[in-house]
């Protein structure tokens, strides 16, 4: 299967600012590397400074041309860290052209945080919403400029198809945990990714209604061998460990393979990405029925907004 986009197809990103969550390894690492090579100023938003700086040094040593990479402290397991990261970023930058919500966790066992929220939902969805909401004024300011092309990309997963919830209308619905088995962990991960997809569908609806020229895209990068993916399976005795150490290296793609659908969402024709389109390695595809359910989308949006407000950040 031919890739959706190649590096040579990407536009010149000189003068453009990108923020990507995660990125010291995996798909985010490859995405940052390619965007920087095309001139972008990229903020790698991660928790661990030493790992981030080690990754930045490695990328830089391999050549990034006119681009640059900076570390931004962000611990997505803590909503307050997301709020602080917004303030730090806003003190540094006058524009934001591309926000890529890339980071995620998937390995259980999952537990409630001190805020009474399921930890995987905080990391994969709620903290990303806090980050996005805080950066919206700058994103909108950049989008108002002539010839701008501002996009918000949220990494999702095919595992969102594993679940079919009835409702997201309550705070408790965000805490749904399918258990600590391998299947349960994958379902809980997929549930968090479905919430993310539904939220950005509702956000795009609001952008379209008020004429905001920002494009939201959700992306399933494909079956990619990443440290995070390996950890989900490696934590499961025998079968999971065998899958992580033997099957994944043979059957799963590399980091760059996973970055290409993200880059297509970042630089592909905007007219293809209506209603927070779902991009896979094959192109724009239909997600699950739950992911396009208008009622669920509004419920996720309203419930998440209410939870964020209750956190009083």
């Amino acid at each position: 299967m031919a890739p959706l986009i190649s590096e040579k197809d990407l536009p010149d990103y000189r003068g453009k600012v990108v923020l990507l969550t995660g990125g010291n390894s995996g798909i985010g690492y490859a995405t940052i590397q390619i965007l920087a090579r095309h001139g972008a100023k990229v903020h790698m938003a991660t928790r661990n400074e030493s790992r981030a700086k080690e990754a930045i040094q490695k990328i830089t040593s391999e050549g990034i041309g006119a681009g640059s990479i900076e570390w931004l402290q962000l611990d997505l397991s803590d909503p307050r860290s997301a709020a602080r990261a917004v303030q730090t970023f806003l003190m540094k930058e006058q524009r934001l052209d591309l926000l890529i919500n890339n980071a995620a966790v998937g390995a259980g066992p999952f537990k409630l945080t001190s805020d009474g929220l399921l930890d995987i939902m905080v990391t994969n969805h709620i903290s990303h919403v806090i980050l996005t909401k805080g950066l919206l004024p700058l994103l909108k300011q950049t989008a108002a400029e002539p010839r701008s092309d501002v996009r918000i990309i949220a990494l999702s997963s095919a595992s969102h198809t594993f679940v079919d919830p009835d409702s997201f209308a309550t705070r408790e619905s965000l805490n749904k945990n399918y258990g600590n088995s391998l299947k349960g962990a994958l379902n809980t991960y997929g549930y968090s990714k479905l919430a993310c997809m539904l939220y950005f569908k509702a956000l795009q609806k609001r952008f379209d209604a008020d004429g905001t020229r920002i494009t939201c895209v959700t992306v399933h990068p494909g079956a990619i061998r990443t440290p995070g993916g390996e950890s989900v399976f490696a934590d499961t005795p025998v079968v999971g460990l065998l899958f992580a150490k033997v099957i994944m290296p043979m059957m799963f793609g590399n980091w760059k393979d996973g970055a290409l659908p993200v880059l297509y969402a970042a630089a592909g024709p905007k007219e293809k990405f209506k209603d927070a389109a779902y991009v896979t390695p094959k192109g724009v595809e239909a997600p699950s029925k739950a992911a396009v359910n208008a009622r669920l989308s509004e419920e996720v949006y309203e419930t998440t907004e209410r939870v964020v407000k209750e956190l009083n950040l």
Side-chain angles (χ1 to χ4, degrees), residues 42-194:
V42 186
H43 292 261
M44 178 190 290
T46 67
R47 177 180 56 188
N48 189 298
E49 181 177 9
S50 61
R51 289 182 61 191
K53 290 188 173 180
E54 182 180 344
I56 291 170
Q57 183 178 15
K58 186 173 188 299
I59 295 172
T60 303
S61 70
E62 294 171 354
I64 56 172
S68 63
I69 310 169
E70 295 185 9
W71 174 62
L72 176 68
Q73 187 169 33
L74 171 65
D75 180 356
L76 289 165
S77 69
D78 179 4
R80 291 153 192 84
S81 176
R84 289 193 296 269
V86 168
Q87 297 308 312
T88 302
F89 184 85
L90 294 177
M91 287 189 291
K92 291 182 175 183
E93 297 294 349
Q94 302 299 313
R95 67 181 300 117
L96 179 57
D97 300 89
L98 182 59
L99 173 60
I100 305 176
N101 292 332
N102 163 82
V105 295
F110 308 118
K111 61 184 183 301
L112 294 181
T113 68
S114 59
D115 293 308
L117 298 165
L118 194 66
D119 52 2
I120 187 174
M121 187 64 80
V122 171
T123 297
N124 293 359
H125 173 57
I126 294 170
S127 285
H128 274 122
V129 168
I130 292 166
L131 184 72
T132 302
K133 281 172 60 66
L135 295 172
L136 271 183
L138 186 57
L139 287 160
K140 289 182 176 182
Q141 175 185 306
T142 307
E145 296 180 4
R147 297 181 298 279
S148 66
D149 184 3
V150 175
R151 304 190 189 192
I152 301 171
I153 298 171
L155 266 74
S156 182
S157 168
S159 63
H160 84 274
T161 63
F162 298 169
V163 294
D164 187 18
D166 294 325
S167 174
F168 277 103
T170 66
R171 178 189 176 102
E172 290 69 31
S173 68
L174 295 180
N175 288 338
K176 187 170 180 61
N177 186 347
Y178 289 82
N180 295 326
S181 67
L182 177 58
K183 180 180 179 182
L186 289 172
N187 284 351
T188 305
Y189 176 76
Y191 188 78
S192 72
K193 288 299 187 178
L194 175 61

Side-chain angles (χ1 to χ4, degrees), residues 289-307:
K289 289 183 178 180
V292 295
N293 184 304
R295 175 182 59 81
L296 289 178
S297 178
E298 287 301 310
E299 287 179 353
V300 166
Y301 186 89
E302 296 297 339
T303 301
T304 306
E305 292 287 302
R306 188 165 61 251
V307 165

Side-chain angles (χ1 to χ4, degrees), residues 169-228:
T170 66
R171 178 189 176 102
E172 290 69 31
S173 68
L174 295 180
N175 288 338
K176 187 170 180 61
N177 186 347
Y178 289 82
N180 295 326
S181 67
L182 177 58
K183 180 180 179 182
L186 289 172
N187 284 351
T188 305
Y189 176 76
Y191 188 78
S192 72
K193 288 299 187 178
L194 175 61
C196 173
M197 293 174 71
L198 289 166
Y199 182 91
F200 282 99
K201 179 179 176 63
L203 185 61
Q204 185 66 66
K205 176 183 174 183
R206 285 157 174 78
F207 288 160
D208 293 344
D210 66 16
T212 298
R213 295 190 300 116
I214 296 176
T215 303
C216 297
V217 190
T218 60
V219 178
H220 164 52
I224 305 299
R225 185 187 180 193
T226 65

